[in-house]
Amino acid sequence: MGIGPGSLEKNDPITGLNLVAWFFEQTQKNPDFFPLLKSTITFFNVMNFKAINQRFSYQGGNEYLCEFRDELLRLFKGEKVLRAGADHLVVISLNLTVDEIGDRIKILKEIMGNSPKGLRNQIKAGIYIVDGSTHKPVIMMDRASLACREVHGIYNKAYEVYDSELAKRHEQKQYVLEHFEEAFEKEYFKVYYQPVVRALTGKICGYEALARWIAPDRGMISPLIFIDVLEKVHLIHKLDAYIIEHACKDLRDDVDSGFAYQPISVNLSRLDFELSDIKKIIDDAVTKYNIPKEYLVLEVTESAFAADLSSLGKVIREFREEGYQVWLDDFGSGFSSFNNLQSYDFDFLKIDMNFLRSFDKTPKTKVILASIVDLAKKLGIHTLVEGVETQEQYEFMKKIGCELIQGYYFSKPLPVEEFHNRRAELCSFDTNESPEERLYYDEIGRINFLDNTPLREKQMDIASDIPIAIVEREDRHYRTIYANDAFLREVHSFGAKDIQDVLKLLWKQNTIEEVQKYYEHLLYTEEHRVTIEYNMMMNNYKINTIVRFLSRMGNKAVYAFMTRNLTLHENL
């Protein structure tokens, strides 16, 4: 329905809502049409709306939009609800605070996610508080839309508010888009190096090459900004090739200088494999500067494996077969971590620094870190943790057997010039690990301090030398639910086949009082929820048993038993 020659359509034919373009046209024509300068604009986006259209047809998609409209009208009663096109709806509020809008967004997200046509879709929103300035309405809308885009891909965040910090980030991203070609040509990109140290010795044993952009007109631009932009415009492979070239050149300079030098690791992303022949780029740089392949370490970010590239595994195998080390970077950052360990071979597992951010606040963090180190060592993979900032973090990672440490506790990333100025400190043989020491400590690093059999050769098995059995008691009748091989070896050593044989020996070789005492032990563990330990004689062997009550169901009770033949072990 038009409003005159040359005018915009007033209403959206699908939702019946006023269209944003028409609404803003009216505010431009007549300042009294709507008090826009006193409002808050909330821009909504339905993520993956295309999937709804594909699953339920365009008609189903239209029905979903109408459901969305109805919920907005209900939750934002009295405010202006508009259609901005595609899967975008807009609310212009005069009466709500940002917190009140945020509460409604969270309710809306839950409701629409549970819609029959929702496909658990994520509702995202951006909020712009109009500050009274005379910006054009389209600029106001762009700012709300920009805030919305900030939370795309962030699962646990429903909305963002446009503020000066977001505006600054946006301006920086625009600067990156407009100046990155110049930065490559004039070498405004610099390589900084962060030392990696051996946990057992504190000696430097490697470096990570990190990209920094030093713009002459604004100083250092955050890597979080320019890397994100270059990934989105598919130019990150050009930056990575640049870093690889300079890392090899700097390593050659280190070798020729006569000072100590170490392996340098460079980061490879998914797009390096998709958009370039990354292996040729690396091989060419290594050949050009005559670098031993084991001195250029390749860190493949865990996100690279999220794209299911069929060629990725092949290239990784080729790298390792030819003498390069390949590390799995950012382990635990949220992708298919364990699938990657199952599908690919790595020399090092680099634990994501985000684990350490909750180190002091979440007790589970230490358990998770220890489990990761334990798992890696069982698979024959060395470990490194990044982001270490405190003595406590360092000591803990050292205690659980993590071999290499990286983080501000030892050093921030430094430019090459800093190393030249501090060569006596950073490049001396006293503070750097030698190649012989590297091999020496790598072998030591294979010992798993968290394993109950740390000295046993790893055979890719899951055996335990702790003899344990789970036994169920129903009145005075017992049955073994589970017994590992170590437990069975122990009971066989004193002439029993299973727990039933043990009980027969108990009744046969002990007095009624002793048997009754054994039964009371079981009752005591349940009543007091404690673990108890006692010794008994069987076939002239001294047997030690540790018992813990686990659970009860009616007249059934279940216990964990650890049993050892002390006489046999004393004679070994």
Side-chain angles (χ1 to χ4, degrees):
M1 180 174 66
I3 58 172
S7 297
L8 296 171
E9 291 292 327
K10 178 180 180 181
N11 291 337
D12 169 40
I14 294 173
T15 63
L17 297 171
N18 288 158
L19 290 165
V20 164
W22 173 86
F23 185 83
F24 284 167
E25 182 188 52
Q26 304 312 304
T27 62
Q28 289 289 90
K29 288 180 178 178
N30 179 10
D32 296 327
F33 177 77
F34 189 88
L36 196 60
L37 297 182
K38 299 179 181 179
S39 68
T40 299
I41 300 174
T42 307
F43 183 95
F44 289 92
N45 183 27
V46 181
M47 304 301 294
N48 298 320
F49 183 67
K50 183 178 179 181
I52 295 179
N53 284 330
Q54 290 174 339
R55 174 75 68 85
F56 300 106
S57 76
Y58 286 108
Q59 178 61 33
N62 291 342
E63 291 171 358
Y64 180 86
L65 285 177
C66 289
E67 291 179 41
F68 194 5
R69 171 206 62 197
D70 292 343
E71 291 300 334
L72 284 176
L73 290 171
R74 182 178 67 83
L75 290 168
F76 293 88
K77 187 175 181 180
E79 312 295 353
K80 194 66 180 175
V81 180
L82 307 168
R83 174 91 189 275
D87 52 0
H88 305 144
L89 274 69
V90 173
V91 173
I92 302 182
S93 311
L94 297 173
N95 307 302
L96 298 174
T97 66
V98 168
D99 287 342
E100 290 170 333
I101 293 172
D103 291 340
R104 285 162 172 78
I105 290 171
K106 292 173 184 177
I107 295 171
L108 179 71
K109 175 185 172 183
E110 183 69 22
I111 292 171
M112 298 311 298
N114 290 321
S115 165
K117 296 184 178 68
L119 301 179
R120 300 303 300 174
N121 276 39
Q122 289 283 305
I123 300 294
K124 300 293 185 181
I127 301 173
Y128 173 62
I129 306 168
V130 181
D131 57 10
S133 59
T134 56
H135 291 304
K136 291 182 178 180
V138 67
I139 294 177
M140 301 176 187
M141 180 63 65
D142 283 345
R143 291 179 174 179
S145 175
L146 174 63
C148 182
R149 291 198 298 275
E150 283 290 304
V151 290
H152 286 195
I154 303 177
Y155 181 80
N156 60 349
K157 193 169 185 180
Y159 68 92
E160 182 64 272
V161 179
Y162 184 93
D163 58 14
S164 59
E165 186 62 31
L166 193 155
K168 181 180 178 182
R169 290 200 304 270
H170 179 63
E171 188 275 331
Q172 288 178 322
K173 288 179 180 180
Q174 287 300 116
Y175 181 91
V176 170
L177 286 171
E178 295 170 8
H179 293 86
F180 69 86
E181 288 287 359
E182 178 189 12
F184 280 121
E185 292 170 6
K186 297 183 179 180
E187 296 198 343
Y188 295 152
F189 285 109
K190 304 296 181 184
V191 183
Y192 277 46
Y193 295 97
Q194 186 171 33
V196 175
V197 305
R198 180 78 60 180
L200 288 178
T201 65
K203 281 191 172 185
I204 297 171
C205 57
Y207 294 96
E208 182 180 7
L210 299 164
R212 296 292 184 265
W213 182 347
I214 315 297
D217 56 341
R218 59 174 58 203
M220 185 176 289
I221 300 173
S222 169
L224 297 176
I225 298 293
F226 70 77
I227 289 176
D228 179 61
V229 173
L230 293 179
E231 284 181 341
K232 287 180 178 176
V233 298
H234 283 200
L235 283 169
I236 192 67
H237 64 294
K238 186 173 180 179
L239 175 62
D240 288 344
Y242 180 96
I243 298 300
I244 290 165
E245 172 83 11
H246 282 262
C248 288
K249 179 180 181 297
D250 290 339
L251 187 52
R252 182 73 257 163
D253 291 342
D254 288 344
V255 174
D256 293 340
S257 71
F259 286 91
Y261 57 91
Q262 300 295 344
I264 294 176
S265 66
V266 294
N267 292 285
L268 304 182
S269 72
R270 170 181 60 85
L271 292 173
D272 290 326
F273 294 88
E274 287 185 6
L275 302 176
S276 68
D277 186 347
I278 190 62
K279 186 165 188 308
K280 184 177 187 305
I281 290 171
I282 290 171
D283 286 340
D284 287 350
V286 164
T287 301
K288 177 179 178 181
Y289 294 100
N290 191 23
I291 301 301
K293 291 181 177 178
E294 63 269 25
Y295 275 80
L296 187 68
V297 175
L298 312 176
E299 295 190 21
V300 184
T301 56
E302 196 179 39
S303 58
F305 299 94
D308 191 27
L309 296 176
S310 58
S311 62
L312 189 57
K314 176 176 178 292
V315 177
I316 287 176
R317 283 194 300 272
E318 289 175 354
F319 274 131
R320 297 187 75 244
E321 288 168 359
E322 294 179 18
Y324 295 99
Q325 281 201 23
V326 178
W327 296 5
L328 177 59
D329 192 15
D330 296 332
F331 182 82
S333 60
F335 294 92
S336 303
S337 305
F338 296 105
N339 285 341
N340 295 335
L341 293 180
Q342 177 179 284
S343 304
Y344 306 95
D345 292 322
F346 301 100
D347 298 285
F348 262 84
L349 187 155
K350 193 169 185 179
I351 302 169
D352 184 54
M353 66 190 303
N354 285 319
F355 279 112
L356 291 182
R357 288 178 179 155
S358 59
F359 184 87
D360 299 324
K361 301 175 184 177
T362 309
K364 290 185 288 187
T365 297
K366 293 182 179 180
V367 178
I368 293 171
L369 286 167
S371 299
I372 291 172
V373 172
D374 178 45
L375 171 64
K377 296 212 178 194
K378 282 182 166 65
L379 294 174
I381 304 174
H382 297 287
T383 52
L384 181 155
V385 64
E386 58 181 337
V388 172
E389 296 182 350
T390 67
Q391 174 79 16
E392 182 187 4
Q393 292 172 350
Y394 165 55
E395 293 294 345
F396 174 78
M397 296 309 299
K398 178 181 176 181
K399 182 176 72 173
I400 64 175
C402 186
E403 298 165 67
L404 305 186
I405 309 290
Q406 182 180 348
Y408 274 48
Y409 178 70
F410 292 99
S411 175
K412 65 181 181 180
L414 302 170
V416 170
E417 296 75 23
E418 186 83 11
F419 288 93
H420 292 168
N421 295 335
R422 298 168 58 189
R423 270 182 165 164
E425 172 193 353
L426 296 174
C427 305
S428 76
F429 292 98
D430 291 334
T431 58
N432 279 257
E433 193 171 80
S434 69
E436 294 76 18
E437 286 177 314
R438 181 174 303 110
L439 294 174
Y440 178 78
Y441 284 107
D442 278 351
E443 288 303 316
I444 294 175
R446 297 184 187 280
I447 298 297
N448 187 355
F449 304 147
L450 303 171
D451 198 346
N452 59 61
T453 57
L455 302 184
R456 185 177 63 185
E457 287 290 331
K458 299 306 170 197
Q459 300 174 343
M460 211 61 73
D461 60 32
I462 55 173
S464 171
D465 283 351
I466 304 298
I468 187 166
I470 305 299
V471 177
E472 183 182 76
R473 177 177 64 83
E474 187 173 2
D475 297 327
R476 294 295 181 97
H477 301 286
Y478 298 81
R479 73 183 185 94
T480 305
I481 295 177
Y482 167 86
N484 67 1
D485 290 341
F487 183 88
L488 294 176
R489 284 196 300 270
E490 292 293 328
V491 298
H492 291 169
S493 73
F494 56 82
K497 293 183 297 185
D498 51 28
I499 194 69
Q500 282 74 23
D501 265 6
V502 173
L503 293 172
K504 289 177 184 177
L505 290 173
L506 180 69
W507 280 97
K508 184 178 180 180
Q509 299 181 8
N510 291 274
T511 65
I512 294 177
E513 289 78 12
E514 288 172 325
V515 173
Q516 180 63 28
K517 187 176 181 181
Y518 161 77
Y519 180 69
E520 289 172 356
H521 284 326
L522 297 184
L523 297 179
Y524 186 85
T525 64
E526 179 176 357
E527 180 181 354
H528 297 279
R529 291 297 196 274
V530 294
T531 299
I532 64 170
E533 181 176 0
Y534 55 89
N535 296 324
M536 65 179 70
M537 296 299 297
M538 289 191 180
N539 284 344
N540 296 319
Y541 290 102
K542 184 178 180 181
I543 309 304
N544 174 263
T545 298
I546 299 174
V547 182
R548 177 185 171 189
F549 168 78
L550 298 179
S551 184
R552 170 171 288 281
M553 181 180 66
N555 62 343
K556 291 182 179 181
V558 66
Y559 304 85
F561 283 78
M562 288 172 53
T563 297
R564 286 192 182 277
N565 185 336
L566 297 181
T567 304
L568 179 66
H569 290 289
E570 288 169 358
N571 293 333
L572 291 177

